[in-house]
Amino acid sequence: MSTQTITVIKGDGIGPSIVEAAIQILDKAGCDFNYEYVDAGLTALEKTGDLLPEATLDAIARNKITLKGPLTTPVGEGFTSINVTLRKKFNLYSNVRPVISFKGTKARYENIDIITIRENTQGMYSGHGQVVSEDGLIAEATSIITRDGAERIVRFAFELARRENRQKVTVVHKANILKSTSGLFLKVAREVAAEYADITMQEMIVDNTCMQLVMNPQQFDVIVTTNLFGDILSDLCAGLVGGLGMAPGANIGEDCAIFEAVHGSAPDIAGKNLANPSSVILASIQMLEHLGMKDKAEKIKAALTDVIASGDRTTRDLGGSHGTTDFTAAMLERL
Ligand code: NAD
């Protein structure tokens, strides 16, 4: 079998430090990947005048698997979000965001193991919106849900649940008010769920879901929902296990997949050796699982679990007093 090449976008701000940590850890675990480094975001804009150069798009398409640090989208007119562009360009319709409790974090809860699956290309983020009155006082936006789009994301969720021996899929919606869009999503979800008799399908309205996640998060297993609800709920879930430093995400399409930290470039701590690299390490674990390299994934997860539980050289957000490089050294020693 030929060696897998991974496209690596180190990203902006804290991106390079945490992505480099993850690459050292992948190598130490014996993953034997080739890496093709390309730029995007502010780094690319400064080098090439383009936020998302053609060479980067070519590498993502060619290698199929990408590991990506956070990117800064400059504020202002004319810059569309790079992440949204990547999701649309490569039809990365599924955003998979797992959260698990690690002993030793400052999280409020224990025993949480939830995967949120967010539809990544439709809904309120379809991109159709404008100010419609001349005085600028009225604006509108269109939410688009298609039967095909709803079916493929719900099927993705049930297939994932079956593959990972999970018991329940909660379909989150607002079909009582948004009767057309959320209504169609729920209708299709019920049809798909009927094909998976081995998995319990639960329906829950999004506002109740927020309360339930805070009151009793252990009841959730897999959540599947539309774009905007998934965006918000997955950050809520990250908060349940200790914050964004512990939250990875995978953007998966038919052909390509991009694995990333879900937080941003953290300009407040960039260049200070303070960032927690766990988010990108967890994204690498997701990448290994996607590639069928379960043993390596388990090995890295065991090292991460031990470093955090023992508090050995952990970063400030985890209650420690160390930096990115010390945390990485503690991981490398265990591997
Ligand atoms: P942020 O996620 O960068 O930071 C929020 C807070 O969390 C900050 O206090 C930061 O220090 C902290 N934090 C984030 N990651 C951390 C880590 N690994 N370890 C320790 N602390 C961490 O959000 P922001 O400040 O609103 O956004 C900054 C920039 O990032 C913006 O330009 C935004 O567009 C971009 N952004 C990119 C992505 C992405 O590429 N996926 C996602 C969100 C925001």
Side-chain angles (χ1 to χ4, degrees):
M1 213 174 76
S2 65
T3 308
Q4 170 81 44
T5 301
I6 311 282
T7 302
V8 180
I9 302 171
K10 290 190 184 177
D12 300 312
I14 60 170
S17 64
I18 57 177
V19 171
E20 277 159 23
I23 301 277
Q24 283 181 52
I25 286 161
L26 286 167
D27 287 346
K28 188 76 177 181
C31 292
D32 195 26
F33 293 132
N34 287 328
Y35 303 105
E36 181 175 355
Y37 292 92
V38 290
D39 292 317
L42 215 54
T43 314
L45 187 71
E46 283 161 10
K47 278 192 197 168
T48 68
D50 196 349
L51 278 175
L52 204 47
E54 275 303 316
T56 300
L57 297 173
D58 289 348
I60 294 171
R62 187 170 54 252
N63 300 321
K64 316 277 187 225
I65 304 288
T66 299
L67 183 64
K68 171 184 153 305
L71 302 174
T72 301
T73 299
V75 179
E77 291 291 315
F79 292 114
T80 45
S81 159
I82 308 160
N83 293 316
V84 172
T85 308
L86 285 173
R87 285 167 196 166
K88 290 208 170 131
K89 172 109 191 149
F90 294 102
N91 200 11
L92 305 171
Y93 67 88
S94 182
N95 188 223
V96 182
R97 289 187 48 174
V99 291
I100 23 173
S101 297
F102 281 87
K103 282 202 168 49
T105 64
K106 293 190 288 182
R108 289 165 196 268
Y109 301 94
E110 291 178 352
N111 304 321
I112 288 172
D113 182 357
I114 305 171
I115 302 181
T116 303
I117 297 173
R118 159 190 172 194
E119 204 293 322
N120 225 3
T121 55
Q122 303 196 334
M124 282 310 298
Y125 295 11
S126 305
H128 306 286
Q130 57 272 320
V131 174
V132 290
S133 67
E134 276 181 14
D135 58 9
L137 298 180
I138 305 174
E140 66 178 14
T142 314
S143 173
I144 295 174
I145 300 289
T146 66
R147 167 170 276 280
D148 285 352
E151 184 178 339
R152 84 180 163 174
I153 194 70
V154 175
R155 198 172 289 288
F156 183 99
F158 276 90
E159 286 293 324
L160 179 143
R162 188 175 271 172
R163 208 168 48 242
E164 298 197 2
N165 288 322
R166 288 173 174 267
Q167 311 302 315
K168 185 167 77 175
V169 174
T170 305
V171 176
V172 176
H173 65 92
K174 187 77 187 176
N176 50 327
I177 304 292
L178 307 172
K179 293 188 191 297
S180 52
T181 47
S182 217
L184 177 60
F185 186 79
L186 180 60
K187 181 170 182 282
V188 174
R190 284 176 179 161
E191 290 169 14
V192 173
E195 296 174 33
Y196 295 83
D198 50 325
I199 297 160
T200 304
M201 186 268 215
Q202 179 186 35
E203 299 173 10
M204 200 178 279
I205 294 172
V206 64
D207 32 354
N208 180 32
T209 309
C210 291
M211 185 194 68
Q212 296 289 340
L213 275 167
V214 173
M215 297 287 287
N216 179 17
Q218 288 89 355
Q219 70 180 290
F220 292 95
D221 193 346
V222 176
I223 292 173
V224 64
T225 189
T226 45
N227 207 337
L228 175 61
F229 298 160
D231 193 0
I232 298 166
L233 289 181
S234 55
D235 264 32
L236 196 165
C237 288
L240 300 174
V241 297
L244 289 174
M246 298 304 298
N251 299 280
I252 299 178
E254 301 291 352
D255 203 29
C256 294
I258 300 181
F259 299 85
E260 63 182 356
V262 301
H263 57 70
S265 50
D268 53 334
I269 57 168
K272 297 182 181 164
N273 191 28
L274 290 175
N276 176 4
S278 299
S279 52
V280 185
I281 296 170
L282 287 162
S284 308
I285 292 173
Q286 268 190 298
M287 179 178 81
L288 293 173
E289 286 168 348
H290 180 80
L291 291 169
M293 298 168 71
K294 243 187 158 20
D295 290 355
K296 305 284 187 208
E298 286 299 325
K299 193 171 162 182
I300 296 174
K301 192 170 162 192
L304 185 65
T305 304
D306 193 55
V307 168
I308 296 175
S310 62
D312 178 12
R313 286 166 276 176
T314 50
T315 47
R316 288 196 314 195
D317 58 312
L318 293 170
S321 58
H322 288 260
T324 316
T325 45
D326 284 349
F327 186 99
T328 309
M331 284 288 297
L332 294 173
E333 274 171 30
R334 282 163 176 80
L335 290 165

